[in-house]
């Protein structure tokens, strides 16, 4: 009776599993996609009068929102939780469709572009990244399987992310299984996992790089070195960074301060500090912790 009860319970999970695979995708590529203009690369991204609310909710996260991110620009998004920062990245990636308005890529509506083709142009790292229980190098190669076994790019990505600093401590080096799921695996610290995930994003080497709280578990010194690499080695790429650490965002070409789905301040670090608005207030609050 106990076994029967257990099987009955597990069958319900299997029903949900197969039901999930039968679920139709809400976001689809168009039947006849528009070719994405290759000039300029990286692409110019524009939010044109965008309003958005998540499915099943009534609150607008963005309302009549306008923004242009120029090709090759380094943009930082700051603001309190719920301001709409991560939503911007999700709309660019087309994880959701806008409620009204349009997101344009080189002047083409993102809804008219083949999704797989568009995603090839983007490398993204979110704060809730996946910890693949594979070898160290396989974790990096998953950033772009088309470049599998190209050690030149592998080593470069590892150096950019700072993961080389702990790689030498692993018994089997890049062939070390990470995580405790499999026999012989070694678990990493939160900061080490984050550097490994950053290496995966850098390995992709896409023209657009999206980073959402990419260094939350990394110490300040390592974070500084990583973003020096972003500035120096990603010169020809568009970079969008979300971070609550002002030491990270202060070197961006343009900083956007968001509140309730609106841009309330905009400029570089020096300009925003002179403005003495929300950015300056938040910066001073954070700076007090280092005094």
């Amino acid at each position: 009776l106990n076994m029967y009860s257990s099987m009955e319970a597990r069958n319900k999970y299997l029903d949900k599993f197969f039901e999930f695979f039968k679920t139709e995708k809400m976001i689809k590529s168009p039947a006849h996609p528009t070719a994405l203009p290759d000039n300029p690369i990286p692409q110019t991204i524009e939010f044109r009068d965008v309003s958005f609310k998540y499915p099943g909710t009534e609150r607008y996260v963005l309302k009549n929102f306008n923004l242009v991110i120029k090709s090759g620009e380094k943009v930082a998004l700051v603001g309190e939780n719920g301001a709409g920062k991560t939503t911007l990245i999700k709309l660019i990636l087309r994880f959701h469709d806008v409620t009204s308005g349009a997101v344009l890529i080189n002047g083409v509506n993102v809804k008219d572009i083949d999704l797989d083709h568009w995603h090839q142009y983007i490398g993204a790292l979110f704060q809730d990244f996946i910890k693949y229980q594979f070898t160290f190098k396989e974790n990096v190669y998953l950033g772009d399987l088309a470049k599998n076994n190209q050690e030149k790019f592998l080593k470069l990505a590892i150096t950019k992310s700072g993961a080389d600093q702990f790689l030498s401590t692993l018994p089997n080096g890049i062939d070390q299984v990470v995580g405790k799921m499999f026999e012989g695996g070694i678990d990493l610290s939160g900061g080490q996992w984050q550097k490994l995930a950053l290496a995966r994003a850098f390995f992709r080497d896409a023209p657009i790089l999206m980073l959402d709280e990419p260094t939350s578990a990394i110490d300040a010194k390592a974070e500084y070195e990583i973003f020096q690499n972003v500035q120096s080695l990603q010169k020809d790429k568009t970079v969008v960074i979300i971070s609550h650490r002002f030491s990270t965002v202060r070197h961006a070409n343009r900083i956007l301060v968001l509140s309730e789905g609106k841009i309330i301040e905009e400029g570089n670090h020096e300009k925003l500090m002179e403005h003495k608005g929300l950015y300056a207030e938040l910066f001073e609050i954070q700076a007090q912790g280092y005094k």
Side-chain angles (χ1 to χ4, degrees), residues 57-72:
T57 67
E58 294 302 319
R59 185 180 77 87
Y60 279 94
V61 181
L62 302 174
K63 188 75 172 175
N64 303 324
F65 185 86
N66 292 282
L67 170 66
V68 176
I69 300 174
K70 298 174 184 175
S71 176

Side-chain angles (χ1 to χ4, degrees), residues 61-65 83-84 257-265:
V61 181
L62 302 174
K63 188 75 172 175
N64 303 324
F65 185 86
V257 184
L258 273 67
S259 177
E260 297 181 354
K262 296 178 181 177
I263 298 173
I264 59 171
E265 294 175 31

Side-chain angles (χ1 to χ4, degrees), residues 168-186:
S168 60
T169 66
L170 300 178
N172 298 315
I174 60 173
D175 294 311
Q176 176 63 52
V177 175
V178 291
K180 300 296 287 184
M181 183 180 291
F182 298 108
E183 187 178 350
I186 293 179

Side-chain angles (χ1 to χ4, degrees), residues 243-255:
S243 180
H244 288 99
R245 284 189 183 179
F246 287 88
S247 56
T248 298
V249 305
R250 65 182 298 171
H251 300 295
N253 302 141
R254 186 159 53 122
I255 301 167

Side-chain angles (χ1 to χ4, degrees), residues 129 132 135-137 139-140 158 161 163 166 178 188 191-201:
F129 57 87
Y132 295 102
T135 64
F136 185 99
K137 68 179 179 182
N139 263 273
V140 181
I158 292 170
S161 70
F166 68 89
V178 291
L188 305 178
Q192 289 172 334
W193 273 115
Q194 204 157 36
K195 286 180 181 179
L196 184 52
L198 268 168
R200 187 159 60 241

Side-chain angles (χ1 to χ4, degrees), residues 1-9:
L1 284 172
N2 186 44
M3 284 291 282
Y4 177 79
S5 176
S6 175
M7 290 169 62
E8 184 71 14

Side-chain angles (χ1 to χ4, degrees), residues 45 47 65-70 73-80 83-85 88 92 239-243 246 249-250 252-259 262-269 271-272 278-279 282:
I45 302 167
F47 284 75
F65 185 86
N66 292 282
L67 170 66
V68 176
I69 300 174
K70 298 174 184 175
E73 194 173 19
K74 310 294 182 286
V75 175
L77 306 176
V78 300
E80 297 175 347
K85 305 183 297 296
L88 285 181
I92 292 171
V239 180
V240 179
I241 301 170
I242 296 174
S243 180
F246 287 88
V249 305
R250 65 182 298 171
N253 302 141
R254 186 159 53 122
I255 301 167
L256 307 176
V257 184
L258 273 67
S259 177
K262 296 178 181 177
I263 298 173
I264 59 171
E265 294 175 31
E266 181 177 350
N268 60 24
H269 174 74
K271 179 180 175 182
L272 291 173
L278 179 61
Y279 178 86
L282 295 173

Side-chain angles (χ1 to χ4, degrees), residues 7-241:
M7 290 169 62
E8 184 71 14
R10 291 178 184 183
N11 274 336
K12 294 186 186 302
Y13 285 109
L14 282 173
D15 289 342
K16 291 289 183 184
F17 178 77
F18 290 114
E19 184 182 324
F20 170 76
F21 275 98
K22 290 178 182 177
T23 303
E24 191 173 344
K25 290 182 180 179
M26 293 178 65
I27 306 297
K28 299 178 182 178
S29 292
H32 304 287
T34 301
L36 185 64
D38 285 334
N39 194 19
I41 290 182
Q43 289 69 20
T44 298
I45 302 167
E46 179 182 357
F47 284 75
R48 185 177 293 175
D49 203 27
V50 167
S51 294
F52 175 74
K53 56 185 177 181
Y54 283 98
T57 67
E58 294 302 319
R59 185 180 77 87
Y60 279 94
V61 181
L62 302 174
K63 188 75 172 175
N64 303 324
F65 185 86
N66 292 282
L67 170 66
V68 176
I69 300 174
K70 298 174 184 175
S71 176
E73 194 173 19
K74 310 294 182 286
V75 175
L77 306 176
V78 300
E80 297 175 347
N81 291 334
K85 305 183 297 296
T86 299
T87 298
L88 285 181
I89 289 183
K90 289 180 178 179
L91 292 177
I92 292 171
L93 290 164
R94 209 185 161 212
F95 289 172
H96 298 280
D97 280 334
V98 299
T99 306
S100 63
V103 177
L104 306 175
I105 313 299
N106 283 357
V108 178
N109 194 319
V110 72
K111 291 182 181 180
D112 298 329
I113 303 169
D114 180 80
L115 264 179
D116 290 337
H117 181 65
W118 170 227
H119 288 164
Q120 288 175 9
Y121 287 88
I122 301 175
L125 174 62
F126 290 90
Q127 53 188 319
D128 53 348
F129 57 87
I130 296 174
K131 300 175 180 179
Y132 295 102
Q133 309 281 309
F134 302 145
T135 64
F136 185 99
K137 68 179 179 182
E138 286 170 338
N139 263 273
V140 181
Y141 281 140
L142 282 168
D144 186 356
L145 292 174
K147 291 191 293 191
N148 198 11
N149 294 323
Q150 295 191 26
E151 289 203 7
K152 172 187 172 184
F153 296 109
L154 174 71
K155 290 177 181 177
L156 182 60
I158 292 170
T159 302
K160 281 184 186 180
S161 70
D164 58 325
Q165 295 173 3
F166 68 89
L167 178 59
S168 60
T169 66
L170 300 178
N172 298 315
I174 60 173
D175 294 311
Q176 176 63 52
V177 175
V178 291
K180 300 296 287 184
M181 183 180 291
F182 298 108
E183 187 178 350
I186 293 179
D187 204 5
L188 305 178
S189 70
Q192 289 172 334
W193 273 115
Q194 204 157 36
K195 286 180 181 179
L196 184 52
L198 268 168
R200 187 159 60 241
F202 286 137
F203 181 76
R204 190 169 180 80
D205 198 31
I208 301 171
L209 183 62
M210 303 276 180
L211 302 173
D212 184 357
E213 290 288 339
T215 55
S216 58
I218 294 174
D219 63 83
K221 179 177 180 291
E223 176 197 60
Y224 176 79
E225 292 171 352
I226 288 167
F227 281 99
Q228 286 296 103
N229 287 337
V230 169
Q231 290 290 105
S232 60
L233 300 173
Q234 309 289 109
K235 286 182 179 178
D236 58 340
K237 303 182 188 304
T238 299
V239 180
V240 179
I241 301 170

